[in-house]
Amino acid sequence: MKYITFLGLGPKDGYKELITFFENDAENISCTKLVQHHIYENYKDQIDQVYVFTTKESHERYFDEFCQIIPESIINEIQIDQNITSELFVDHLINILDDSDDVILDVTHSFRKIPIRLLFALRYVEAMKNVRIRSVFYGEVEKQNTEQSFSIVHDLAKDYQMQKVTEYLSQFDRTLIIRREDWKELSLGDQTIENLMDALAQFNEMTEFCNLDAAASTVLQISEKAKAIVNKRDKASGENPYILLTPLAKQIQEKFAKVSRNNSETQNLVEIICVLLQHERFQLAITFTDELFGRELIRNTVDPNARRFDAGQIIKQIHFYGSKRDKEKFPYNATQYLKEKTGLRKDAHIWENLYQRFEDCFEPYGDNIQRLQSIVTIPGNEEVIHHFSTDCRNVVNHASTSSKTRNLKTDIEKTVLKMLNIIQQFDQIIKM
């Protein structure tokens, strides 16, 4: 582990020896002028190299004393001007830090500008290298009485990490994207926050793999974990310990407010696709809508009263026999068959023997197929479905071109919403 620290000039009469201890460990003390002594003694089994930033003046005043409390063999001195630019600071850090380094920082004995520049520079370096900031120490002098002062060493790493958590939540709020590897390295040690971050990462993985089966449960998890942040109260003070995260957690919770355990799976998926549209995740919205349309054709043919689509259960219910591959391809092939039977396409493009098996399996559900046909072949609906397939789905998913669409973004939004409306009509007409 690398330890980065500073030597400033201190007060006019120099640093004085203080009783020094960590904020949550008052029994483990050191009597020292330089807080680095206490930090090093507590972490020396983990520290491989120490990098100390000095100026010409601070070197002359304190460097020899610094070398008495830390072995010279691991000390790397970097002399800088106290008015160093952020760019030069970044350059120094890039040269110091390697990929996957663990780092502790100490900004106690420094110039006023340096700690701020350090934090800005660290964010830049973290974006370039996979370093892990384990601790950010600051020794605060506190007078207990007129005779004795103490140096209480605070670890500000959690505050530093919380700032990054806020950025990740803001990123998800804007884009619906967050990667698990982004936050796993933070070592938050807070299960409530980690539960929310994990749920957001699951959403990202669900969308990456277009896993429609996991969409509703993943969003419900997000809502529950965000609610836990919003409603958390400290037992002693009664206040919310996540006050910095609460506004973003509320926004994320409200984003998915219409997704509910009381809804059918179809209604929840419709609401999720609407959220995708609002965040301009058009390709994903198209893919989910296309898959949902096919599922709903099958579900409303076989079992309109089922609250969710279950391919395995439907295969058993209609006595569809075939190879493992036939069963894996069942949703796609059954959708193509039902599009033909409802008049949406002329040829299902499936093998003749498979087509005949579908004829036998779906024969008892002819009335439901006719009801679906009465919806999809309404002139307005049929036009929307064909436009969705040719001028939206194919254009976005297959890099095709369309001569009919000038503003593709607006057209996709309107067309997907119309498709969702048609999907919802399937249930409405059957329940009449």
Side-chain angles (χ1 to χ4, degrees):
M1 184 163 66
K2 291 177 178 176
Y3 174 23
I4 298 175
T5 186
F6 301 85
L7 283 178
L9 296 177
K12 290 181 179 180
D13 55 349
Y15 294 118
K16 295 181 179 180
E17 191 171 89
L18 298 172
I19 295 175
T20 303
F21 54 89
F22 290 112
E23 182 179 12
N24 298 316
D25 190 9
E27 295 182 0
N28 175 19
I29 66 172
S30 301
C31 292
T32 179
K33 288 183 180 180
L34 300 176
V35 75
Q36 290 95 338
H37 182 200
H38 188 71
I39 293 172
Y40 178 74
E41 285 301 312
N42 282 272
Y43 287 89
K44 61 184 177 183
D45 292 339
Q46 303 173 49
I47 294 173
D48 303 312
Q49 294 291 318
V50 176
Y51 294 86
V52 55
F53 286 90
T54 66
T55 62
K56 180 180 178 181
E57 294 82 1
S58 66
H59 171 90
E60 293 173 354
R61 188 175 296 188
Y62 294 112
F63 188 69
D64 287 343
E65 188 170 350
F66 185 80
C67 292
Q68 293 173 19
I69 60 173
I70 294 177
E72 284 191 68
S73 59
I74 64 171
I75 294 176
N76 303 272
E77 184 186 14
I78 304 164
Q79 281 203 14
I80 59 174
D81 187 278
Q82 63 174 302
N83 294 313
I84 185 172
T85 65
S86 296
E87 291 79 9
L88 186 54
F89 215 150
V90 168
D91 190 53
H92 282 306
L93 290 176
I94 288 175
N95 291 329
I96 289 172
L97 300 173
D98 298 316
D99 286 340
S100 301
D101 269 343
D102 286 349
V103 181
I104 59 174
L105 301 159
D106 159 36
V107 295
T108 304
H109 302 302
S110 183
F111 300 95
R112 290 182 179 180
K113 298 177 183 177
I114 296 300
I116 300 299
R117 289 224 166 111
L118 170 68
L119 294 177
F120 287 146
L122 272 176
R123 298 308 305 275
Y124 183 81
V125 173
E126 280 186 300
M128 298 180 62
K129 298 189 176 184
N130 186 29
V131 298
R132 293 177 291 274
I133 308 301
R134 296 306 188 193
S135 292
V136 181
F137 292 120
Y138 176 73
E140 179 185 18
V141 177
E142 181 176 316
K143 290 187 177 181
Q144 298 293 327
N145 52 55
T146 55
E147 297 179 357
Q148 183 64 63
S149 296
F150 297 86
S151 177
I152 305 175
V153 183
H154 303 275
D155 188 351
L156 306 177
K158 186 171 182 179
D159 300 85
Y160 180 71
Q161 292 169 346
M162 199 65 71
Q163 180 188 15
K164 293 183 4 181
V165 170
T166 302
E167 290 180 9
Y168 291 139
L169 292 183
S170 177
Q171 174 183 300
F172 183 86
D173 185 49
R174 297 190 316 272
T175 66
L176 301 181
I177 297 173
I178 185 173
R179 302 183 310 161
R180 192 179 302 277
E181 53 267 34
D182 287 335
W183 66 269
K184 271 296 186 182
E185 296 299 330
L186 293 180
S187 302
L188 294 168
D190 187 310
Q191 197 61 53
T192 305
I193 298 175
E194 290 187 357
N195 286 342
L196 174 59
M197 302 295 280
D198 188 63
L200 299 180
Q202 286 180 34
F203 183 91
N204 192 66
E205 291 166 4
M206 178 271 295
T207 56
E208 286 293 320
F209 294 101
C210 297
N211 187 354
L212 200 63
D213 288 321
S217 60
T218 300
V219 167
L220 288 168
Q221 282 288 311
I222 290 173
S223 297
E224 290 172 5
K225 305 311 178 186
K227 184 179 180 181
I229 293 285
V230 173
N231 293 342
K232 186 76 171 181
R233 291 294 179 271
D234 183 80
K235 289 183 179 179
S237 67
E239 296 185 359
N240 191 324
Y242 306 119
I243 192 67
L244 293 177
L245 305 182
T246 298
L248 285 166
K250 278 184 178 178
Q251 287 178 207
I252 291 170
Q253 189 181 1
E254 291 168 2
K255 188 187 307 292
F256 297 112
K258 292 183 179 180
V259 179
S260 167
R261 294 190 185 279
N262 296 324
N263 294 342
S264 67
E265 182 187 56
T266 303
Q267 184 59 40
N268 279 337
L269 292 175
V270 167
E271 299 297 347
I272 291 169
I273 292 169
C274 288
V275 173
L276 294 175
L277 283 178
Q278 291 164 10
H279 291 77
E280 299 189 356
R281 300 290 300 276
F282 296 128
Q283 185 170 28
L284 190 58
I286 287 171
T287 301
F288 274 15
T289 301
D290 190 41
E291 186 173 349
L292 181 59
F293 182 78
R295 286 180 171 210
E296 288 304 287
L297 278 179
I298 298 169
R299 184 182 70 84
N300 282 284
T301 294
V302 177
D303 189 359
N305 294 316
R307 285 182 60 81
R308 63 183 299 271
F309 174 82
D310 186 332
Q313 183 60 37
I314 289 173
I315 286 171
K316 291 179 182 178
Q317 188 169 339
I318 66 175
H319 307 294
F320 177 80
Y321 301 105
S323 65
K324 180 180 178 181
R325 178 171 174 77
D326 284 343
K327 292 179 179 179
E328 288 174 349
K329 297 283 289 181
F330 172 82
Y332 172 80
N333 287 325
T335 297
Q336 303 313 305
Y337 168 81
L338 289 173
K339 283 183 177 180
E340 179 188 308
K341 299 301 287 185
T342 56
L344 286 176
R345 62 181 305 163
K346 294 180 179 179
D347 187 347
H349 290 299
I350 55 179
W351 296 107
E352 186 176 344
N353 63 339
L354 180 60
Y355 187 93
Q356 188 55 52
R357 270 188 282 162
F358 280 137
E359 287 276 80
D360 296 337
C361 291
F362 284 114
E363 193 273 334
Y365 307 101
D367 289 345
N368 286 343
I369 292 175
Q370 287 183 6
R371 292 192 186 99
L372 291 169
Q373 184 178 23
S374 70
I375 298 172
V376 299
T377 56
I378 295 172
N381 286 352
E382 188 171 13
E383 182 181 352
V384 167
I385 295 167
H386 285 301
H387 180 66
F388 172 80
S389 298
T390 57
D391 294 313
C392 294
R393 185 191 63 190
N394 290 347
V395 170
V396 173
N397 289 349
H398 305 298
S400 303
T401 57
S402 172
S403 59
K404 299 179 180 179
T405 304
R406 290 186 178 182
N407 190 333
L408 186 59
K409 172 183 169 181
T410 302
D411 186 59
I412 288 174
E413 289 177 316
K414 291 181 178 180
T415 305
V416 169
L417 289 173
K418 289 177 181 177
M419 284 291 293
L420 297 178
N421 179 264
I422 293 170
I423 290 170
Q424 290 173 302
Q425 289 175 33
F426 292 170
D427 276 341
Q428 292 170 6
I429 195 167
I430 289 170
K431 291 176 181 177
M432 289 177 60

